[in-house]
Amino acid sequence: MRSSAEIADEIFRRIQTGQYLPGDPLSQYELADEFKISRTPIREALRFLEARRAISLTASGRAFVAVPSPQAIREAFQIRAELEGLAAKLAVDWIEDEDLARLAQHQRDYADALRSRVRGEAGSEWLRHNRSFHDVITVASHNERLHELIKELQSGIVTSTLNLASKMPSRLMEENIQQHEDIIAALRARNPGAARDAAVEHVSRTMDLVLDWMSRRAA
């Protein structure tokens, strides 16, 4: 039988991969039935996740995947834009042809998954390909601390925000696809300034798209 900590880790993994999206309810009864345990360890697991700000618990004990606030999104993505820009700039000196080939393949997979995504089926695939795309660049920067910082951001508010973007119409993300192409082109041209600018613009525009969409939904 799994412990509360193990169950919390599994639920967190599902949040990270987009299986559970921001705002989705988490039923204690359904989770207890799935894991074949009583509700007590489920409640403990949910409290662990609340402490990590991955979920929200109401006074009555109902659980929902946390929805990041506009301010939290803005702050995280402003930092991420600068870090990703630096990674792309540094990667110009190190990235090899096979890295560029993998980057292009991740981009094709990303675009295909994003355009054909179906919530609850292929909804999280584009997130996985997007993460792989950015990982190629941060690894190619040959700066381990920078890579760690970006991964740390990615595992928190950034992933929550991108999961939130899974609810957006695909047409809103077409610009995002083109920005990936701009990053690849700058890296292929070995232009550090263009690579940095393309990465910063990409992350900043993703932030703007999500915040604008959230604002219009709330209106």
Side-chain angles (χ1 to χ4, degrees):
M1 186 173 65
R2 294 190 183 185
S3 68
S4 298
E6 290 172 331
I7 293 170
D9 286 342
E10 172 59 22
I11 295 172
F12 187 70
R13 184 194 66 78
R14 296 177 184 182
I15 294 172
Q16 290 281 290
T17 58
Q19 185 173 342
Y20 297 152
L21 299 179
D24 281 355
L26 298 174
S27 167
Q28 293 187 26
Y29 296 100
E30 291 178 4
L31 290 169
D33 182 62
E34 177 186 350
F35 289 106
K36 304 287 191 283
I37 55 175
S38 71
R39 289 171 56 204
T40 299
I42 295 295
R43 284 195 294 268
E44 292 175 353
L46 294 177
R47 283 196 290 269
F48 291 154
L49 292 168
E50 183 186 33
R52 297 170 71 173
R53 300 183 181 180
I55 69 165
S56 300
L57 286 174
T58 67
S60 62
R62 296 183 65 195
F64 298 87
V65 179
V67 177
S69 70
Q71 180 178 346
I73 291 172
R74 186 173 293 105
E75 290 174 353
F77 271 70
Q78 285 172 344
I79 296 170
R80 184 191 173 210
E82 294 302 319
L83 294 179
E84 295 264 9
L86 176 58
K89 178 181 177 180
L90 294 175
V92 165
D93 290 334
W94 298 98
I95 200 161
E96 299 180 356
D97 289 344
E98 53 263 40
D99 296 321
L100 290 169
R102 286 193 297 123
L103 204 59
Q105 183 60 59
H106 288 315
Q107 167 65 352
R108 287 190 292 271
D109 293 339
Y110 166 75
D112 289 345
L114 186 60
R115 288 168 175 152
S116 64
R117 77 184 193 268
V118 177
R119 192 181 185 283
E121 294 179 13
S124 64
E125 281 300 292
W126 74 274
L127 294 169
R128 181 171 63 83
H129 296 308
N130 181 67
R131 187 178 298 112
S132 297
F133 177 92
H134 287 277
D135 279 348
V136 170
I137 298 171
T138 57
V139 170
S141 74
H142 278 224
N143 187 313
E144 291 186 9
R145 183 55 180 148
L146 178 61
H147 181 57
E148 289 171 359
L149 288 171
I150 292 173
K151 283 188 69 174
E152 183 180 335
L153 267 178
Q154 188 76 28
S155 68
I157 191 70
V158 169
T159 292
S160 296
T161 303
L162 293 179
N163 283 339
L164 189 63
S166 292
K167 297 185 176 183
M168 294 169 56
S170 296
R171 59 181 174 77
L172 294 179
M173 298 297 282
E174 283 296 321
E175 181 182 342
N176 214 271
I177 293 172
Q178 181 55 51
Q179 287 160 359
H180 274 194
E181 296 290 351
D182 294 340
I183 295 171
I184 293 173
L187 291 170
R188 190 172 284 130
R190 311 291 174 173
N191 187 325
R196 180 195 178 280
D197 290 347
V200 170
E201 174 67 11
H202 167 56
V203 175
S204 298
R205 283 296 297 151
T206 300
M207 175 189 73
D208 291 340
L209 277 171
V210 174
L211 289 177
D212 180 64
W213 177 74
M214 289 176 66
S215 176
R216 285 187 283 107
R217 284 188 77 202

